[in-house]
Amino acid sequence: MSEDLLPANATAFERGVTLAMTDVLPVPIRELLDPAQTLIPFIPFLAEHESVDLWFDDWTVARKRTMIEDALRLAGLKGTRLGLRSFLTYVDALLISTVAHPRRFVLGRSALGVQPLKFPAYTALYLIKVGLKRHRRGLVLGRGALGRHALVRVDREPIRRANIAATVSKAPGTQYTATFAHRRRPFFDEMAFGMGFDEFIDRKSL
């Protein structure tokens, strides 16, 4: 409504109401809906608007903006290995190996190496690598001394977040089991010169 349509004897209240009902709103809608430009206080609301499924409040602002911008693509990748890998990158985890929906081993009808032993039937199995941090003054058997940091446990938050990311990325009917033991003791023929018997190497597959 235009103020020009009011009669000459319009009151201050009527003129104020007219100005409040104007069609020109000084709200930068385009900028507020842009993950790269929206104001920091609006970021959580924009994430809700875009139906972001994976979110942690202690993420950096840059990671939050990237997640919002990537939300539509990630939604289309749910239920795929690429989707799992993509979601895991947001929690600093890496998918090393997968076995998708193995069938049970049946004697005489199953080939070794094709249908793995001891895997749950119709359940995807993931080998995921996450970075865990132990307190630098924590107790190491045979090399550490008891102190105030000796009983500090390893922070398992990265594992919890990787599990959440894997759950978000899966299809509704998919069941999965995740293992985070991405290190193993080397076989004798894998040991390099100078390697100790108490050392570990990275696993390449399940």
Side-chain angles (χ1 to χ4, degrees):
M1 183 174 180
S2 174
E3 189 179 6
D4 298 336
L5 299 178
L6 292 176
N9 63 344
T11 64
F13 175 77
E14 291 173 334
R15 295 185 183 279
V17 170
T18 302
L19 291 174
M21 295 175 62
T22 180
D23 294 332
V24 180
L25 298 177
V27 179
I29 299 296
R30 188 182 300 275
E31 288 75 13
L32 290 177
L33 294 179
D34 184 356
Q37 300 183 57
T38 191
L39 301 176
I40 293 178
F42 285 93
I43 290 179
F45 301 101
L46 184 57
E48 186 71 21
H49 179 268
E50 296 295 332
S51 300
V52 172
D53 296 316
L54 185 65
W55 188 266
F56 294 100
D57 291 332
D58 60 353
W59 275 352
T60 63
V61 173
R63 179 164 296 190
K64 291 177 179 179
R65 293 183 188 274
T66 303
M67 170 55 80
I68 296 172
E69 189 173 357
D70 207 18
L72 182 60
R73 183 188 73 89
L74 291 174
L77 293 177
K78 286 188 176 183
T80 67
R81 293 188 185 183
L82 178 58
L84 174 59
R85 295 180 191 276
S86 300
F87 275 103
L88 287 175
T89 59
Y90 282 96
V91 293
D92 301 317
L94 176 65
L95 179 65
I96 298 177
S97 179
T98 64
V99 176
H101 299 287
R103 291 179 290 174
R104 296 190 186 281
F105 182 80
V106 180
L107 188 63
R109 292 189 296 167
S110 301
L112 289 174
V114 176
Q115 296 170 345
L117 297 170
K118 298 182 180 179
F119 286 174
Y122 306 108
T123 300
L125 185 61
Y126 304 145
L127 176 59
I128 299 174
K129 179 179 180 180
V130 296
L132 299 178
K133 295 182 179 180
R134 184 189 298 273
H135 198 284
R136 62 185 182 89
R137 294 185 181 180
L139 176 64
V140 179
L141 190 62
R143 293 186 292 171
L146 285 174
R148 63 178 181 175
H149 299 293
L151 301 180
V152 176
R153 296 182 178 180
V154 174
D155 183 12
R156 298 177 62 86
E157 179 65 13
I159 292 179
R160 187 185 75 87
R161 295 191 176 195
N163 265 320
I164 293 174
T167 301
V168 168
S169 71
K170 74 180 186 68
T174 302
Q175 299 182 18
Y176 78 91
T177 298
T179 176
F180 299 91
H182 66 276
R183 302 276 287 173
R184 65 170 175 82
R185 292 186 181 277
F187 299 117
F188 186 78
D189 58 350
E190 294 176 323
M191 296 185 65
F193 179 77
M195 180 181 291
F197 287 99
D198 59 342
E199 296 189 33
F200 291 79
I201 61 175
D202 288 334
R203 295 172 63 185
K204 303 298 183 183
S205 62
L206 288 162

